Amino acid sequence: MIKLQKKKDVTKVDSVANAFAEVKTQILGKPIPYEELTIGVMKETFPGENRVSITPDNVEMMTKAGFNVVVQPGAGQRASFSDAVYVEAGAIILQGDQFFDEADIITKIRPPDELEVPKLAGKTLVGMVSPAINSDLYKELTEQKTNIFALDCVPRMLSRAQTYDVLSSQANIAGYRAIIEAAEEFPRFFAGQMTAAGKVPPAKVLVLGAGVAGLAAIQTAKNMGAIVRAFDVRPVTKEQVESMGATFLEVPIKEDGSGSGGYAKEMSDDFKKAQAALMLEQAHDVDIIVTTALIPGRKAPILVNEEMLSVMKPGSVCVDLAAANGGNVEQARPNEIVTTENGVKIIGYTDLPSRLASTSSTLFGNNVAKFIMSIGPQTTKEKGKFQIDLNDDAVQNMLISYEGEARWPDKITPYSPPPVTKKETEEEIQLSEEEMFAIANEKAKEDFTRNAGVSALAAAALLAFGITAQTHDSISLMASFALAGLAGYQVVWGVAPALHSPLMAVTNAISGMTAVGGMLLLAHGSSGSEGLIPDSPAHLMGAIATALSFINIAGGFLVSGKMLDLFRRPNDPKDFFELYSIPAGILLAGLAASAVLGLGDLSNVSGSVAIASSICCIAAIAGLANQETARTGNVLGMAGVAFGLAATTADMAGVGASASAFQQVGLLGGIGSGIGAVLASGVGPTELPQTVAAFHSLVGIAAMAGAAGEYFGNVGTLDLGTLTAVYLAIFIGGITATGSMVAYGKLAGMLSSKALSLPGRDALNLSMISICALGMASFLNPSLGGEILSVDPETLRLGSLATAAGVSSILGLHLTASIGGADMPVVITVLNSYSGWALCAEGFMLGDPLLAQVGALIGFSGAILTWIMCEAMGRNIVSVILGGAGTTQVVSSDSKTEYEGEITIATVDNVVETLLEAKKYHDCSRIWPCCCTGS
């Protein structure tokens, strides 16, 4: 004898019976931990029944949840599940009275017979009972206090009840098997053939009733090559029938046969006459008829009468799925094949699901196991505890008997879906032409006023720049900035929304042009340097900027390439990007020839290559406008950065950089590129967005390092414009660096996705911005604070710069942390725009048109993209930029949150299982529930 692994409490008559004992409210009894309950799987004794109610896979799932499971010997043998497999899954094999002594909840498919009924006294039965048909059995079970969950009483209009709906899962198999049985008896091919020996026409199949079973029959017949037609009294099924490639037959009389609970209702006499005429016409033509119509609690309606049978061709087949309830076909007899006088075979098998026992048992077991495990947690939300709660619509409808009290049908409230709320119709106001013209004029005035205001501000800014500019080169630089910004503004509007993330990745990689600043820092003042180790603060900052920029460039473009690969379709034409090496080679070879052979003026040639760099960067964003050119855009971005770095290398030679400076750039570039490639290569598809945010942070740090290096290398000699650019580069770089780090942490799940809500959030942000503004004032004009602090101007400037770096970093952290995780995509676009402005600041700082152009391109495109995403997501752009400013802060409270509506508990395991089942099995959810047999 096998010993049970649980200790049975002698004082416990039955755990489930105790749960039913305290019936005073909608919640019956106390919650029972799964560990105290035993599921019993009975062997089916009905003749010809090969299925089993719970399979080994279900046993494994239920024992993992905490249930004990006992199984009668040989319960799954006829469904190809041996006792050994059940034991391996965690069940215990028990026989005789010991099985019934240990089991609390007993599962079964067929209603219990007269020998089994007494053994169920005081137990809970989960199975098919059909109380409307088996009224005597129902009465007997109730009187002996058998608590009954009738699976055939599932509330079919409850959407989540599809998970427990054994009727539909078995009807699906019945429909499939009906065609298989028809093919067995039909004397021809299903699919037509044209051979040298002659032509064989395809079989013509008519399916009556387009429910789950009917649709399964349609699909199977179509797959076997037959011509399929279908008829149903419910017009709503037409779309499903036609979607499977079948022809939907219609009666000329318009009448909707949709009944309560999703079943078909009985039709009018006029409709029946028209239907009979249509069916008679079809009977002349078709070879196979499958009938699936049932009306709950009533004898199955006759759909194929004697007249129809008499006109069918010899060898034709009728499969009656309603034979158990009287049949839809005249002469049909349960579990028999009847042959009419004219040679038509009528198949009346009632065990069609049982003829595919393994699959039927698997689906049935899934239904039963999920239903049992939902009793309690579905409404109480207490995982691992069985609790009968009549507030659960599924339980309330399926619990037909408890503690000797019959609940069906009088004490059960049939489930009805909530009524669809009709939108209040808005009253249409008819406007006259004069009123419409006035409204149009007012709108046009608003648009012109807004545009005039923006233009006035731009005009004032340009005038102020012209007044304060100290050289004509600054004016040329501003022209490059403005034109590049306009180009970025124009091209970003054409980018498809699905490609916004790749766009951010590409522009982030391009923003790695901060390497230009680092390379120039390494070049300046390097004539006396011979080693690879930076020998001054300026060179050290240049080395940091160069290394971090190359990490971003290599990693950024690899990430953007991975993103675009996700959009690649199998039938997309091959890319021949290697051909682009021809124009690229011409440009770079010409630059090398100018440097080595003295061909032309090197500064002019490098300037031409820099123009090509700007054009490629603009074209990269334009290329991301659609999927067909997106990968080309990524390649153009790479080319643009490559041309920019090549032009900068030539500029290094032009300022007399030493060999060691070139060696440093080569070493730092190689190491940085290697690190970036390694980091990006290990990133999976779901980690790409946060990786872009991580690379953003490197751009911010590189911008800060470049600005600091420029200041350290030219202390006391920088003009006002350059000092302004230095300070802004550090301020923007600090926000970009720490803000991107927080965005990465939230997207990667390393930080909470909740918005940080510190007291006085907006005041904190305003205070930090004010401190940075005061620091900028003292940095540009040390005399403002020098007298108060009694320090020399350069010390004050250095302190102001350090303060800006620290405070802006804290500001970036707080601004981003104050935004919820759901808005991180918008935040990343803001930070992307910031990296462009930091690049612009470097361009003005170094007097480099390339950096000003590329920075303006990224800055403006990022700003427009931020606005587009804010509009699409219903966010206020100013609020996002300022860390949630203007929004209500969430105040923490100890009170529990009350949830309204239906809450469904989901775990990783059951979501994976659901997805796998959705892929594996035919999906009838679009038309569920239906009128077919067992459904």
Side-chain angles (χ1 to χ4, degrees):
M1 181 180 293
I2 300 176
K3 189 174 182 180
L4 286 176
Q5 296 178 347
K6 72 164 190 171
K7 294 182 180 179
K8 193 153 179 103
D9 188 351
V10 295
T11 64
K12 184 187 83 165
V13 177
D14 185 283
S15 296
V16 181
N18 289 340
F20 289 122
E22 302 176 18
V23 185
K24 294 181 180 179
T25 63
Q26 292 288 81
I27 296 180
L28 310 182
K30 297 179 180 179
I32 304 173
Y34 288 169
E35 292 78 6
E36 298 179 14
L37 290 173
T38 299
I39 308 296
V41 183
M42 285 186 69
K43 180 179 181 179
E44 300 297 324
T45 57
F46 188 86
E49 181 55 74
N50 300 321
R51 295 172 292 174
V52 63
S53 58
I54 293 288
T55 67
D57 285 344
N58 307 133
V59 170
E60 185 176 355
M61 178 176 67
M62 300 184 82
T63 53
K64 184 178 179 180
F67 286 105
N68 303 289
V69 181
V70 296
V71 181
Q72 286 188 326
Q77 195 68 45
R78 285 173 290 183
S80 302
F81 302 118
S82 65
D83 289 349
V85 178
Y86 275 103
V87 172
E88 185 179 348
I92 298 173
I93 307 299
L94 293 180
Q95 55 187 340
D97 293 338
Q98 190 177 10
F99 170 84
F100 291 99
D101 288 342
E102 295 297 334
D104 299 312
I105 301 174
I106 295 175
T107 65
K108 203 175 184 312
I109 297 179
R110 296 278 186 168
D113 59 30
E114 58 185 10
L115 296 178
E116 295 168 334
V117 168
K119 299 176 182 179
L120 298 175
K123 302 295 180 179
T124 293
L125 173 66
V126 179
M128 306 277 279
V129 178
S130 301
I133 298 173
N134 303 313
S135 56
D136 292 339
L137 171 65
Y138 174 45
K139 181 179 179 182
E140 187 176 356
L141 288 171
T142 300
E143 288 176 349
Q144 67 177 21
K145 294 189 177 182
T146 299
N147 306 307
I148 308 170
F149 284 102
L151 297 173
D152 43 291
C153 292
V154 59
R156 316 206 55 208
M157 299 300 288
L158 179 64
S159 60
R160 65 178 172 84
Q162 295 179 53
T163 308
Y164 325 133
D165 185 16
V166 297
L167 301 175
S168 287
S169 68
Q170 301 306 290
N172 184 25
I173 295 170
Y176 165 82
R177 190 70 193 189
I179 297 299
I180 302 301
E181 297 295 340
E184 172 71 17
E185 299 297 331
F186 186 59
R188 290 206 325 263
F189 293 130
F190 259 54
Q193 291 192 9
M194 179 72 74
T195 68
K199 177 182 178 182
V200 179
K204 296 178 181 178
V205 178
L206 172 62
V207 179
L208 301 180
V212 175
L215 289 174
I218 291 170
Q219 187 68 62
T220 307
K222 284 294 295 182
N223 290 343
M224 293 175 67
I227 297 173
V228 185
R229 303 162 187 170
F231 175 78
D232 196 292
V233 297
R234 297 162 302 162
V236 71
T237 61
K238 178 180 179 180
E239 181 181 348
Q240 284 79 46
V241 169
E242 292 178 343
S243 70
M244 292 184 170
T247 301
F248 187 78
L249 304 176
E250 296 183 84
V251 171
I253 296 178
K254 298 297 181 182
E255 185 175 342
D256 192 347
S258 302
S260 62
Y263 292 91
K265 68 180 182 180
E266 190 168 1
M267 309 302 289
S268 67
D269 291 340
D270 290 340
F271 186 93
K272 289 179 181 178
K273 289 179 182 179
Q275 177 183 335
L278 176 64
M279 294 301 102
L280 183 61
E281 178 185 344
Q282 291 297 317
H284 276 284
D285 189 43
V286 300
D287 303 300
I288 296 167
I289 298 178
V290 179
T291 63
T292 69
L294 280 177
I295 298 177
R298 301 183 63 176
K299 184 180 180 298
I302 296 296
L303 301 181
V304 181
N305 56 28
E306 291 284 1
E307 185 179 10
M308 292 174 61
L309 289 171
S310 66
V311 301
M312 293 184 73
K313 297 182 287 288
S316 298
V317 178
C318 289
V319 184
D320 191 346
L321 299 190
N325 284 30
N328 299 138
V329 183
E330 292 273 15
Q331 300 188 36
R333 289 201 292 267
N335 300 310
E336 293 184 25
I337 298 180
V338 176
T339 304
T340 66
E341 292 181 359
N342 59 328
V344 177
K345 292 185 177 181
I346 304 171
I347 301 174
Y349 295 151
T350 61
D351 62 345
L352 290 175
S354 186
R355 290 170 181 255
L356 206 65
S358 180
T359 301
S360 299
S361 299
T362 298
L363 298 182
F364 192 98
N366 287 341
N367 295 142
V368 173
K370 291 173 182 177
F371 172 62
I372 292 175
M373 294 176 68
S374 77
I375 301 175
Q378 178 62 41
T379 51
T380 66
K381 310 307 172 189
E382 291 189 65
K383 190 176 180 180
K385 292 186 178 180
F386 183 90
Q387 173 72 75
I388 298 169
D389 184 359
L390 298 184
N391 292 306
D392 184 338
D393 291 305
V395 170
Q396 194 272 143
N397 279 262
M398 297 166 74
L399 179 62
I400 64 172
S401 177
Y402 64 89
E403 280 298 290
E405 182 178 10
R407 297 189 69 247
W408 184 90
D410 299 332
K411 296 185 179 180
I412 290 178
T413 304
Y415 174 78
S416 296
V420 178
T421 304
K422 295 183 178 180
K423 294 183 178 180
E424 294 183 5
T425 56
E426 296 182 359
E427 183 180 354
E428 294 186 2
I429 301 176
Q430 297 293 332
L431 298 177
S432 63
E433 289 187 11
E434 292 78 8
E435 291 173 324
M436 294 175 65
F437 185 70
I439 292 174
N441 282 339
E442 188 63 30
K443 185 179 184 303
K445 182 179 179 181
E446 290 177 1
D447 293 340
F448 275 96
T449 302
R450 181 177 61 254
N451 293 337
V454 172
S455 300
L457 289 175
L462 284 174
L463 185 61
F465 183 84
I467 293 172
T468 57
Q470 298 178 344
T471 64
H472 186 71
D473 290 340
S474 298
I475 301 299
S476 299
L477 205 60
M478 175 56 73
S480 298
F481 167 81
L483 292 174
L486 182 61
Y489 174 87
Q490 292 296 332
V491 297
V492 77
W493 288 104
V495 177
L499 294 171
H500 283 170
S501 291
L503 171 63
M504 287 188 286
V506 170
T507 53
N508 167 67
I510 294 174
S511 66
M513 295 278 270
T514 45
V516 170
M519 293 166 66
L520 293 177
L521 283 174
L522 290 171
H524 285 290
S526 65
S527 56
S529 176
E530 297 181 356
L532 292 177
I533 305 299
D535 57 0
S536 69
H539 287 172
L540 177 61
M541 292 295 103
I544 293 173
T546 302
L548 294 181
S549 297
F550 272 95
I551 292 175
N552 179 69
I553 291 169
F557 279 119
L558 279 175
V559 166
S560 59
K562 284 189 173 186
M563 281 187 173
L564 292 171
D565 284 343
L566 297 176
F567 292 87
R568 193 179 185 96
R569 296 164 295 195
N571 58 346
D572 280 350
K574 182 181 177 182
D575 296 319
F576 297 93
F577 293 134
E578 61 271 12
L579 296 177
Y580 288 171
S581 62
I582 298 174
I586 293 173
L587 201 62
L588 296 178
L591 181 63
S594 178
V596 176
L597 304 177
L599 185 63
D601 185 274
L602 182 60
S603 62
N604 290 338
V605 176
S606 68
S608 299
V609 175
I611 292 173
S613 173
S614 299
I615 293 172
C616 285
C617 290
I618 294 172
I621 297 179
L624 285 160
N626 58 70
Q627 184 174 338
E628 287 73 20
T629 59
R631 288 187 297 278
T632 301
N634 192 40
V635 171
L636 288 173
M638 296 180 192
V641 173
F643 293 154
L645 296 178
T648 304
T649 303
D651 290 339
M652 289 175 63
V655 297
S658 65
S660 63
F662 288 102
Q663 292 171 354
Q664 288 172 345
V665 170
L667 180 63
L668 293 169
I671 294 174
S673 298
I675 294 173
V678 170
L679 292 175
S681 62
V683 175
T686 60
E687 300 165 338
L688 294 175
Q690 55 258 43
T691 306
V692 172
F695 284 136
H696 263 139
S697 66
L698 301 181
V699 175
I701 298 173
M704 294 175 74
E710 178 68 11
Y711 175 75
F712 292 147
N714 300 279
V715 174
T717 63
L718 297 176
D719 57 35
L720 184 64
T722 304
L723 288 173
T724 302
V726 166
Y727 194 91
L728 290 176
I730 286 182
F731 174 72
I732 299 172
I735 295 175
T736 304
T738 56
S740 299
M741 292 176 188
V742 173
Y744 168 78
K746 289 198 173 191
L747 290 172
M750 300 167 62
L751 300 175
S752 172
S753 61
K754 294 182 179 179
L756 180 67
S757 185
L758 296 179
R761 175 197 61 196
D762 297 344
L764 284 173
N765 292 334
L766 182 60
S767 299
M768 286 186 278
I769 294 173
S770 299
I771 291 172
C772 290
L774 292 173
M776 184 174 183
S778 61
F779 180 75
L780 298 178
N781 188 0
S783 62
L784 294 176
E787 296 179 359
I788 300 175
L789 300 176
S790 300
V791 294
D792 63 89
E794 294 306 324
T795 301
L796 181 59
R797 278 179 170 160
L798 186 60
S800 299
L801 213 56
T803 301
V807 175
S808 66
S809 297
I810 298 173
L811 178 61
L813 188 153
H814 186 244
L815 287 172
T816 308
S818 299
I819 303 293
D823 290 331
M824 282 301 107
V826 183
V827 172
I828 292 178
T829 62
V830 174
L831 297 170
N832 187 55
S833 180
Y834 286 169
S835 66
W837 303 128
L839 206 58
C840 280
E842 272 203 272
F844 281 95
M845 176 181 71
L846 301 172
D848 191 306
L850 176 61
L851 290 183
Q853 291 162 7
V854 174
L857 176 69
I858 296 172
F860 278 106
S861 63
I864 297 302
L865 185 58
T866 300
W867 186 88
I868 292 172
M869 294 185 70
C870 284
E871 286 293 305
M873 299 174 65
R875 302 293 190 269
N876 183 292
I877 187 171
V878 176
S879 177
V880 172
I881 293 174
L882 298 180
T887 59
T888 304
Q889 288 188 259
V890 179
V891 181
S892 60
S893 174
D894 296 332
S895 60
K896 294 184 178 180
T897 304
E898 293 186 4
Y899 298 95
E900 295 183 357
E902 182 180 295
I903 302 174
T904 301
I905 296 177
T907 64
V908 173
D909 291 340
N910 62 36
V911 169
V912 170
E913 182 182 356
T914 301
L915 292 174
L916 290 175
E917 287 181 356
K919 182 178 180 181
K920 182 176 181 182
Y921 300 112
H922 173 68
D923 179 19
C924 291
S925 60
R926 292 173 302 166
I927 47 80
W928 183 95
C930 53
C931 70
C932 55
T933 295
S935 60

